[in-house]
């Protein structure tokens, strides 16, 4: 039997090791003290393992080289992922946006399945072991050298060490450095699924305020670059939350952008105007600052009034039609200048990585090194929030594992 060395014990690496072990001896090397360290914190510790949408819809949720993933996603689909865990005793549930989580809301249940499969397949696991060198003759890899100066020989190698996000989980770019030394081109790594920083002085005053059922748009001049509906959160530096994180990707490749929040997307401008008029009738003798409680979260009211430039002590029955129309427009176009993104260390995933033109999409095999395969975030592919990135990791890991040594 051939010996397959898998470098990196994240979801892609564990899936690759499990699949490769069907026909090979497998050694799984992980630099951390445990496997799947990043999995423990995905989905706020609940582990959003995949998405329930039809697999054909996944490509619309993968802005980073979706076509490259066609074979991977159809070889091991989201339904295969669901079956993989449910057949192992983990009950799953579908939540908003078709996100799939374990019923227990515990990422540890997902990791336990991997651990049991690895044990069952008799895969040798080397924890607390960092690969520091890959030895190659330019055509093949012969061996790897660990930080303990162990030389480990193998017939085939799968590198799945992740990107540059969350370095505390072990993703520090080692695999990208190995790939570069082996002749691969690396597309510049940038943060993706990361909070957005804003310039406006009023933003920090809203720190901690969570908004649900709002619309978030990113524009460059008049051109819409991104738009999504859902939840977001204000921070001391800007905004975050699912719809913001997904939108962060376009910020990497553009400047002078504006973020626009529609606080009442379910209403047309006319309907919102009527709603405000009804509130003003209800609170006809109250000051404006005391007449918006039915419409807005308490923390947001003084900011909206400040930006509307209406006197907060003005009686609502004295507010002009023009002032009211401006208020309506503001509520559906709360605008701020985008300063940039938080650091890559705070990003959920990395955009960029090994150039997909140098990897066979039907096998995940390197086109440069004959016994080398890649899978997971180390490749220049990335998706939006919602379980798409974890599915990419599992699908590419599966594809690399079934094709290695074939």
């Amino acid at each position: 039997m051939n010996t397959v060395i898998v470098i990196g014990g994240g979801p892609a690496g564990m899936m690759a090791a499990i699949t490769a072990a069907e026909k090979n001896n497998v050694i799984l090397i992980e630099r951390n003290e445990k496997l799947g360290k990043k999995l423990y914190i995905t989905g706020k510790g609940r582990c959003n393992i995949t998405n329930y949408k039809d697999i054909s819809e996944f490509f619309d949720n993968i802005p980073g080289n979706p076509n490259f993933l066609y074979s991977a996603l159809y070889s091991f689909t989201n339904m295969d992922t669901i079956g993989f865990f449910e057949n192992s005793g983990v009950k799953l549930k579908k939540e908003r946006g078709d996100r799939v989580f374990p019923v227990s809301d515990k990422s540890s249940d997902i990791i336990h399945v991997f651990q049991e499969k690895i044990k069952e397949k008799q895969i040798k696991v080397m924890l607390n072991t960092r690969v520091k060198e890959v030895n190659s003759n330019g055509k093949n890899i012969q061996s790897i050298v660990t930080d303990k100066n162990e030389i480990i020989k193998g017939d085939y190698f799968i590198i799945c060490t992740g990107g540059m996000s969350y370095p505390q989980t072990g993703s520090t770019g080692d695999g990208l450095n190995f790939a570069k030394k082996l002749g691969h081109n690396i597309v510049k790594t940038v943060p993706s699924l990361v909070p957005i920083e804003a310039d406006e002085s009023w933003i920090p005053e809203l720190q901690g305020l969570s908004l649900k059922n709002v619309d978030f748009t990113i524009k460059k001049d008049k051109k819409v670059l991104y738009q999504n509906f859902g939840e977001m959160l204000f921070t001391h530096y800007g905004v975050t939350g699912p719809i913001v994180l997904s939108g962060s990707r376009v910020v990497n490749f553009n400047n002078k952008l504006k973020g626009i929040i529609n606080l009442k997307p379910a209403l047309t401008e006319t309907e919102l105007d009527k709603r405000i008029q009804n509130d003003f009738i209800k609170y006809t003798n109250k000051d404006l600052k005391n007449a918006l409680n039915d419409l807005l979260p308490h923390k947001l009211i003084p900011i909206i009034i400040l930006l509307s430039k209406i006197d907060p002590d003005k009686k609502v029955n004295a507010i002009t039609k023009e002032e009211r129309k401006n208020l309506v427009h503001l509520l559906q176009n709360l605008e701020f200048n985008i300063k940039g993104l938080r650091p890559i260390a705070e990003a959920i995933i990395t955009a960029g990585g090994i150039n997909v033109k140098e990897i066979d999409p039907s096998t995940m095999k390197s086109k440069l090194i004959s016994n080398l395969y890649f899978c997971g975030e180390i490749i220049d592919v990335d998706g939006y929030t919602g379980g798409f990135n974890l599915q990419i990791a599992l699908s590419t890991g599966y594809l690399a594992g079934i094709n290695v040594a074939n």
Side-chain angles (χ1 to χ4, degrees):
M1 293 180 78
N2 290 303
T3 297
V4 177
I5 310 295
V6 181
I7 306 171
M14 289 189 288
M15 180 59 79
I18 291 165
T19 313
E22 293 290 338
K23 299 178 180 179
N24 306 279
N25 293 316
V26 178
I27 300 172
L28 177 57
I29 302 175
E30 169 56 46
R31 63 181 289 178
N32 289 308
E33 74 285 358
K34 58 187 175 184
L35 296 171
K37 193 167 184 178
K38 192 174 179 181
L39 269 179
Y40 279 100
I41 58 175
T42 59
K44 296 181 180 178
R46 298 170 57 223
C47 201
N48 179 192
I49 62 165
T50 189
N51 195 285
Y52 206 79
K53 295 183 191 302
D54 188 89
I55 196 67
S56 63
E57 296 181 57
F58 270 56
F59 302 96
D60 293 330
N61 289 278
I62 299 171
N65 294 309
N67 293 337
F68 171 81
L69 293 166
Y70 190 89
S71 291
L73 289 175
Y74 275 99
S75 294
F76 192 81
T77 69
N78 51 337
M79 293 299 111
D80 291 322
T81 294
I82 289 168
F84 179 83
F85 291 107
E86 288 192 329
N87 292 338
S88 299
V90 178
K91 292 183 179 180
L92 303 175
K93 60 181 176 179
K94 183 175 71 172
E95 295 189 1
R96 178 188 53 80
D98 293 322
R99 290 166 163 82
V100 178
F101 293 88
V103 169
S104 65
D105 286 331
K106 293 179 180 178
S107 58
S108 56
D109 287 353
I110 299 298
I111 295 165
H112 179 71
V113 171
F114 281 122
Q115 291 171 333
E116 289 299 304
K117 295 280 186 184
I118 288 167
K119 185 178 178 181
E120 176 190 316
K121 301 288 184 184
Q122 297 182 319
I123 296 166
K124 180 180 179 180
V125 178
M126 299 176 66
L127 298 175
N128 295 305
T129 303
R130 184 174 184 174
V131 175
K132 69 176 186 178
E133 191 177 337
V134 175
N135 294 321
S136 162
N137 63 7
K139 295 181 180 179
N140 298 284
I141 299 173
Q142 281 88 39
S143 64
I144 56 100
V145 182
T146 73
D147 56 354
K148 301 176 180 66
N149 291 319
E150 300 170 282
I151 298 174
I152 304 174
K153 294 182 179 181
D155 300 298
Y156 294 88
F157 298 79
I158 303 175
I159 299 179
C160 35
T161 51
M164 299 290 288
S165 59
Y166 286 139
Q168 67 273 26
T169 65
S171 298
T172 55
D174 285 359
L176 293 170
N177 292 330
F178 299 149
K180 191 173 182 179
K181 288 178 181 177
L182 292 166
H184 278 279
N185 288 299
I186 310 300
V187 177
K188 182 182 178 183
T189 54
V190 292
S192 191
L193 303 187
V194 66
I196 291 174
E197 295 185 345
D199 264 340
E200 274 62 26
S201 59
W202 51 267
I203 291 276
E205 295 181 45
L206 296 175
Q207 180 179 354
L209 175 64
S210 178
L211 299 177
K212 294 183 178 181
N213 303 319
V214 298
D215 212 41
F216 179 60
T217 302
I218 297 176
K219 280 187 176 182
K220 185 176 178 67
D221 298 322
K222 293 183 179 180
K223 184 179 179 181
V224 174
L225 301 180
Y226 170 84
Q227 189 168 20
N228 206 346
F229 172 84
E231 299 178 24
M232 63 181 295
L233 173 73
F234 287 98
T235 68
H236 66 282
Y237 53 75
V239 288
T240 187
I243 58 175
V244 172
L245 296 175
S246 288
S248 67
R249 194 181 193 279
V250 303
V251 179
N252 277 310
F253 309 104
N254 295 277
N255 53 26
K256 296 183 179 178
L257 301 178
K258 289 187 182 296
I260 301 165
I261 305 167
N262 184 343
L263 297 166
K264 301 294 176 182
L267 302 176
T268 65
E269 192 172 300
T270 301
E271 289 169 339
L272 182 55
D273 187 34
K274 287 180 180 178
R275 165 70 194 277
I276 291 174
Q277 287 183 62
N278 289 336
D279 282 359
F280 282 4
I281 291 169
K282 181 179 178 180
Y283 299 113
T284 186
N285 293 317
K286 288 196 172 186
D287 298 338
L288 178 62
K289 64 185 179 184
N290 298 319
L292 298 176
N293 292 319
D294 294 351
L295 191 67
L296 296 169
H298 181 74
K299 204 169 189 177
L300 190 55
I301 292 172
I303 300 300
I304 291 297
I305 294 176
L306 173 70
L307 297 174
S308 74
K309 298 180 181 177
I310 304 173
D311 183 353
D313 297 317
K314 190 171 186 176
K315 301 293 182 185
V316 293
N317 56 24
I319 289 177
T320 66
K321 181 180 180 180
E322 183 180 356
E323 287 175 326
R324 195 183 71 243
K325 292 286 187 182
N326 288 338
L327 181 60
V328 168
H329 180 78
L330 177 62
L331 291 173
Q332 295 191 317
N333 296 273
L334 182 56
E335 189 176 287
F336 61 89
N337 291 304
I338 293 175
K339 183 179 179 181
L341 300 176
R342 296 296 287 172
I344 196 168
E346 296 180 28
I348 294 175
I349 60 159
T350 305
I354 299 166
N355 194 320
V356 296
K357 293 179 181 179
E358 299 168 358
I359 303 171
D360 183 340
S362 63
T363 62
M364 296 296 120
K365 184 178 180 180
S366 165
K367 293 180 179 180
L368 308 182
I369 304 294
S370 64
N371 63 344
L372 173 62
Y373 294 74
F374 298 107
C375 55
E377 195 181 339
I378 194 171
I379 304 170
D380 181 24
V381 290
D382 61 285
Y384 293 138
T385 57
F388 303 106
N389 289 290
L390 193 43
Q391 183 62 51
I392 290 170
L394 298 175
S395 294
T396 56
Y398 174 87
L399 200 57
I402 62 168
N403 283 289
V404 72
N406 285 344

